Amino acid sequence: GAGVSQTPSNKVTEKGKYVELRCDPISGHTALYWYRQSLGQGPEFLIYFQGTGAADDSGLPNDRFFAVRPEGSVSTLKIQRTERGDSAVYLCASSSAGGGTGANVLTFGAGSRLTVL
Amino acid sequence: GQSLEQPSEVTAVEGAIVQINCTYQTSGFYGLSWYQQHDGGAPTFLSYNALDGLEETGRFSSFLSRSDSYGYLLLQELQMKDSASYFCAVDPLYGQNFVFGPGTRLSVLP
């Protein structure tokens, strides 16, 4: 597509529920990143994919968070047993380059705002 | 690891020039980038410095000094639409992630 698409744009759920957030990157972009952003803060790195594999998942806060990219395009961020502290905007970005290659320009989606009640 | 520091807020008037600073501690990086984010919007790429010195893109310029672990974004001829948050970010040599600073909220007054 022309840009990075994220769905849903807004998600309200109850504590303890499972949620999935989807990211459709720019066509042909091999690198895909997930970030989490709280109000007034900078984007916090969660996970980076190069193709189908997670090249760096060091930012995932705990084992309730998981992400996949089975065909090297669309990615899904999965959060189990949600907690109120998970409330944030989840941003996805893609790039034609990748981490560690220099001159890495990220194109972000508009984000998915998650609210856990 | 990497850490970046920015002032939390900057205020300026239309037509003025403003400089947003970024200091960092890192074990090595390819370059320093700047992103703009309007309220409720996505971060968008503004500028990138791989080498020391000044890079100019229209009204925006960015500067990097690796010896001083310092960079800045310079915005000239400020317009109301420049009111946004600005983030510096590094692409580390060791590691795949892309690390962002805490952001500086710029308010442009009439």
Side-chain angles (χ1 to χ4, degrees):
Chain A
V4 178
S5 176
Q6 291 189 246
T7 55
S9 55
N10 275 288
K11 175 70 177 179
V12 179
T13 190
E14 294 180 344
K15 180 175 178 295
K17 299 291 188 182
Y18 168 82
V19 300
E20 288 190 352
L21 307 175
R22 175 189 165 106
C23 173
D24 197 345
I26 291 174
S27 179
H29 278 191
T30 57
L32 185 146
Y33 299 76
W34 283 100
Y35 286 83
R36 177 168 69 175
Q37 187 175 32
S38 299
L39 189 64
Q41 305 293 318
E44 174 194 3
F45 171 76
L46 295 177
I47 187 169
Y48 157 69
F49 288 90
Q50 183 61 254
T52 61
D56 184 354
D57 64 357
S58 63
L60 294 178
N62 51 60
D63 61 5
R64 296 187 297 105
F65 288 76
F66 189 71
V68 295
R69 196 186 185 198
E71 298 178 356
S73 179
V74 171
S75 175
T76 304
L77 178 66
K78 308 180 180 192
I79 310 173
Q80 299 177 323
R81 304 184 304 280
T82 52
E83 300 177 355
R84 293 192 179 87
D86 299 335
S87 296
V89 175
Y90 289 81
L91 295 166
C92 176
S94 70
S95 171
S96 58
T101 63
N104 194 5
V105 177
L106 303 186
T107 302
F108 282 86
S112 292
R113 180 177 298 278
L114 175 65
T115 302
V116 182
L117 301 177
Chain B
Q2 293 82 31
S3 68
L4 300 96
E5 293 187 2
Q6 302 178 235
S8 58
E9 294 183 4
V10 173
T11 302
V13 297
E14 261 189 308
I17 299 172
V18 71
Q19 179 174 312
I20 298 174
N21 298 323
C22 173
T23 57
Y24 58 83
Q25 290 184 320
T26 175
S27 51
F29 64 103
Y30 284 98
L32 185 71
S33 299
W34 289 90
Y35 284 77
Q36 178 192 60
Q37 185 179 32
H38 286 98
D39 286 348
T44 57
F45 174 79
L46 287 178
S47 185
Y48 175 79
N49 292 73
L51 304 175
D52 283 6
L54 194 67
E55 292 284 339
E56 297 181 74
T57 310
R59 294 189 298 114
F60 295 172
S61 302
S62 57
F63 174 83
L64 174 64
S65 170
R66 288 178 182 263
S67 60
D68 295 322
S69 297
Y70 166 72
Y72 66 73
L73 179 69
L74 192 72
L75 298 86
Q76 301 182 68
E77 301 172 17
L78 281 174
Q79 302 174 10
M80 299 294 288
K81 68 179 182 179
D82 297 329
S83 293
S85 292
Y86 293 83
F87 299 93
C88 58
V90 294
D91 187 10
L93 288 177
Y94 309 109
Q96 305 291 335
N97 58 323
F98 205 78
V99 182
F100 284 80
T104 299
R105 187 173 182 88
L106 171 64
S107 298
V108 180
L109 305 178

